[in-house]
Amino acid sequence: MTNEHFDALVVGAGISGIGAGYHLRTTCPGRTYAILEARDDIGGTWDLFRYPGIRSDSDMYTLGYSFKPWKGPKAIADGWSILEYLRQTVNEHGIARQIRFGHRVKRASWSSEQARWTVEVERGERNEVVHFTCNFLFMCSGYYDYAQGYAPDFPGTERFAGRIVHPQKWPEAFDYAGKRVVVIGSGATAVTLVPAMATTAARVTMLQRSPTYIISLPGEDPIANWLRRRLPARVAYGITRWKNVLLALWFYRFCRRHPTRARALVTKWLRNDLGPDYDVGTHFNPRYNPWEQRLCLVPDSDLFKTMREGRASVVTDQIETFTEKGLKLRSGAELEADVIVTATGLNLRFLGGLEATLDGVRVDFAKTFNYKGMMFSDVPNLALAIGYTNASWTLKAELICRYVCRLLNHMAKTGTRQCTPRLRDPDLEPSPFLDLTSGYVQRAIHMFPKQGSKRPWKLHQNYALDLMMLRYGKVDDGVMEFSNPAIPVACQEEATGLVAAG
Ligand SMILES: Cc1cc2nc3c(=O)[nH]c(=O)nc-3n(C[C@H](O)[C@H](O)[C@H](O)COP(=O)(O)OP(=O)(O)OC[C@H]3O[C@@H](n4cnc5c(N)ncnc54)[C@H](O)[C@@H]3O)c2cc1C
């Protein structure tokens, strides 16, 4: 069977893969591409997670695409509205017909002789193996394992008479009205679940081992809505987007440079929200400084309001064991529950689990260095769309999409078929890919590439710097090697077609 060939293959139809489709179509119009998606629908994160209250925890003016203004009234949007926005995007921009659902990418092997990837895919429920070839492989596969969320091995779970639920596998039409609920965890998912479940549950307790920084933002952005009423949608969106980018950048830098002042400020906001008698010191005073781990956002103080109304509470303690009736804690206290939600996080997964070989030799990505936050040392024609940890994902993912297009156009213009970031700097100091101390990062960071101490191997986590480097910086920067391996006779016709297409 002949393999289907594309100039670019995109893996994943979430925010990043759909963005990739848009930019490939508009910036590289002569190039062929397809999006391979393991699931049966678009949306990735925003389709997978179905727990009560699921919503963004960053504003939609920066989580939305640069090319499609977010017109919803809410800055912090629910999962359904985000999915609807993505559906509109694929339909409006002719991306839907490029997506192949039920295609799980397993392996990719690079042939230097042919300057192309052969991609092995399992298709459909029967896992039929099919192959594709492409010149450029663009992984938009997200950052976590879709099969399984993180669930620590708590003792005694088999004794618990109630129901244990993980947010990543929320049961359809699950009715918890009138039930006593314990949510284990205090990350973004837990702080979303608690007020949402408290609307019908008998009571909800958020059980945390240690506190997290939580700050409240208005669910609607009055400046954005004011601008939208007066200016064309694109102009208003652009201004709000930059306002939010700069505000987030400023706050992140403030937290990292002045941790004591930042801690005091966040504590003051919390006291305002929870009242002078609340024990902020025990439940909302983390061991780490602001932004050493991701900050949690809640819209319109919904979590704190629910707590003030007595419908939810926070317990800071550790689980000794599950019991028939609920949980026994290290302090000796017991929490009775009908439902226990393990909002204990995600398992990170690099490159959607892809196994890659270069001319038959397996690539160990943990030994590579990231290049411009998107490619890997000595690995040709492969990029990964990975977003920010301290700002909206889409800001960076879109910069990467555009850069991939620039690379493809540069290769077409110069008649080259291979681009490989080459690490030739002997003084480069390695450091972990992500500098967050969060458990989910620390559990998996050894599988990720390293970052270097200098450009272009350093990961910025800074939109303004990345904008300069990825949008306006040179693609032929002296580190990226553009080459044109000898073309075997059998491939000459197709390869000539590729160069001509640009
Ligand atoms: C609950 C939750 C809330 C979040 N909220 C925010 C937020 O408010 N702001 C923010 O900036 N970020 C947030 N994030 C991070 C979020 O994942 C990104 O915002 C964004 O949705 C990621 O988009 P993506 O397309 O890169 O990845 P994903 O949404 O993860 O999509 C990846 C797609 O690739 C597919 N795929 C993966 N591997 C393969 C393979 N081998 N073969 C074929 N297909 C594959 C998956 O099926 C999936 O459809 C949140 C994450 C979670 C889990």
Side-chain angles (χ1 to χ4, degrees):
M1 195 176 87
T2 329
N3 296 333
E4 235 181 309
H5 180 80
F6 293 94
D7 296 331
L9 264 183
V10 176
V11 179
I15 287 185
S16 306
I18 293 169
Y22 172 84
H23 288 289
L24 281 165
R25 198 181 72 86
T26 50
T27 318
C28 306
R31 236 54 56 78
T32 57
Y33 82 94
I35 302 176
L36 303 181
E37 168 54 59
R39 310 181 73 240
D40 293 328
D41 207 343
I42 64 156
T45 300
W46 303 104
D47 181 51
L48 175 75
F49 282 88
R50 303 284 174 99
Y51 59 77
I54 169 80
R55 56 166 163 76
S56 67
D57 64 357
S58 59
D59 71 276
M60 287 309 298
Y61 307 102
T62 53
L63 190 60
Y65 297 113
S66 60
F67 57 86
K68 182 171 166 58
W70 172 257
K71 293 181 182 160
K74 293 206 167 164
I76 305 289
D78 60 75
W80 185 87
S81 309
I82 300 173
L83 198 53
E84 188 50 33
Y85 172 84
L86 293 175
R87 286 197 202 294
Q88 285 172 12
T89 311
V90 295
N91 292 327
E92 283 166 13
H93 296 284
I95 301 163
R97 57 178 171 268
Q98 303 304 128
I99 305 174
R100 313 270 178 104
F101 292 110
H103 282 61
R104 184 178 307 282
V105 173
K106 304 295 282 185
R107 274 169 274 280
S109 38
W110 173 259
S111 157
S112 291
E113 200 181 44
Q114 300 184 358
R116 62 170 57 171
W117 290 99
T118 300
V119 178
E120 185 185 311
V121 174
E122 283 178 2
R123 185 163 66 185
E125 281 175 11
R126 292 219 209 120
N127 293 335
E128 178 196 0
V129 175
V130 288
H131 292 93
F132 294 84
T133 55
C134 64
N135 300 96
F136 200 97
L137 184 57
F138 190 11
M139 300 301 293
C140 294
S141 42
Y143 64 105
Y144 60 86
D145 189 352
Y146 269 66
Q148 229 42 273
Y150 176 64
D153 214 359
F154 293 119
T157 44
E158 69 292 344
R159 289 162 58 195
F160 181 53
R163 187 145 183 195
I164 302 173
V165 181
H166 195 286
Q168 195 164 324
K169 297 216 166 139
W170 199 262
E172 219 178 308
F174 178 40
D175 184 12
Y176 47 84
K179 302 254 187 327
R180 297 161 303 169
V181 178
V182 173
V183 177
I184 304 173
S186 57
T189 302
V191 303
T192 303
L193 272 165
V194 171
M197 293 186 83
T199 54
T200 58
R203 66 150 209 266
V204 183
T205 309
M206 184 168 98
L207 172 63
Q208 56 179 10
R209 193 170 47 179
S210 58
T212 306
Y213 285 107
I214 303 173
I215 59 172
S216 171
L217 277 189
E220 291 193 15
D221 180 336
I223 300 177
N225 290 345
W226 186 87
L227 287 170
R228 209 177 31 234
R229 283 194 297 273
R230 282 160 182 81
L231 296 171
R234 271 185 185 275
V235 179
Y237 183 61
I239 297 173
T240 307
R241 199 171 158 86
W242 266 109
K243 167 182 80 67
N244 291 1
V245 162
L246 294 174
L247 215 64
L249 262 178
W250 170 81
F251 189 63
Y252 177 78
R253 282 168 77 95
F254 170 73
C255 290
R256 297 304 294 248
R257 288 186 178 179
H258 308 286
T260 314
R261 281 167 62 197
R263 184 185 277 266
L265 188 65
V266 177
T267 308
K268 189 174 142 206
W269 290 338
L270 283 161
R271 283 197 200 288
N272 287 346
D273 266 319
L274 288 161
D277 300 330
Y278 191 83
D279 187 359
V280 169
T282 302
H283 302 304
F284 291 99
N285 187 25
R287 296 181 201 133
Y288 56 91
N289 286 320
W291 268 122
E292 279 173 14
Q293 297 188 12
R294 228 184 130 99
L295 248 157
C296 277
L297 285 187
V298 295
D300 300 319
S301 303
D302 63 355
L303 173 71
F304 308 127
K305 272 185 206 150
T306 314
M307 287 169 65
R308 282 203 311 266
E309 288 162 9
R311 289 183 289 130
S313 58
V314 176
V315 171
T316 307
D317 206 328
Q318 292 201 40
I319 296 171
E320 177 92 19
T321 179
F322 277 57
T323 63
E324 289 74 13
K325 290 184 177 169
L327 295 165
K328 184 160 185 283
L329 306 179
R330 288 260 168 93
S331 64
E334 296 201 23
L335 283 180
E336 292 196 356
D338 306 303
V339 176
I340 297 181
V341 183
T342 50
T344 40
L346 306 161
N347 288 316
L348 294 194
R349 193 158 203 235
F350 186 64
L351 283 178
L354 179 83
E355 290 169 28
T357 56
L358 299 182
D359 298 320
V361 180
R362 192 177 76 84
V363 184
D364 181 354
F365 284 97
K367 295 207 170 109
T368 65
F369 276 78
N370 105 90
Y371 167 83
K372 295 188 176 173
M374 55 172 286
M375 288 179 75
F376 310 100
S377 51
D378 297 323
V379 181
N381 295 29
L382 181 143
L384 168 68
I386 188 154
Y388 292 118
T389 50
N390 63 353
S392 280
W393 182 273
T394 318
L395 290 171
K396 177 75 179 283
E398 247 193 295
L399 284 179
I400 294 174
C401 293
R402 285 173 194 258
Y403 199 81
V404 165
C405 293
R406 290 183 68 199
L407 282 173
L408 294 178
N409 286 344
H410 182 84
M411 285 194 280
K413 204 167 121 199
T414 54
T416 49
R417 291 178 296 137
Q418 180 169 337
C419 59
T420 319
R422 295 285 185 206
L423 175 52
R424 297 196 182 92
D425 183 347
D427 301 328
L428 201 70
E429 295 286 336
S431 61
F433 188 67
L434 298 172
D435 71 346
L436 292 181
T437 57
S438 319
Y440 73 100
V441 172
Q442 294 308 314
R443 281 195 301 274
I445 197 70
H446 61 280
M447 292 185 277
F448 279 65
K450 295 180 274 292
Q451 62 166 311
S453 43
K454 300 179 218 166
R455 280 182 202 195
W457 308 101
K458 194 170 166 51
L459 206 66
H460 286 133
Q461 302 287 359
N462 180 315
Y463 180 66
L465 290 179
D466 281 335
L467 185 71
M468 296 313 290
M469 179 172 75
L470 297 174
R471 188 86 186 268
Y472 303 111
K474 282 184 179 174
V475 286
D476 194 0
D477 58 3
V479 173
M480 183 68 86
E481 179 187 276
F482 292 94
S483 57
N484 210 358
I487 311 172
V489 178
C491 299
Q492 270 179 13
E493 262 173 41
E494 265 170 293
T496 316
L498 163 72
V499 174

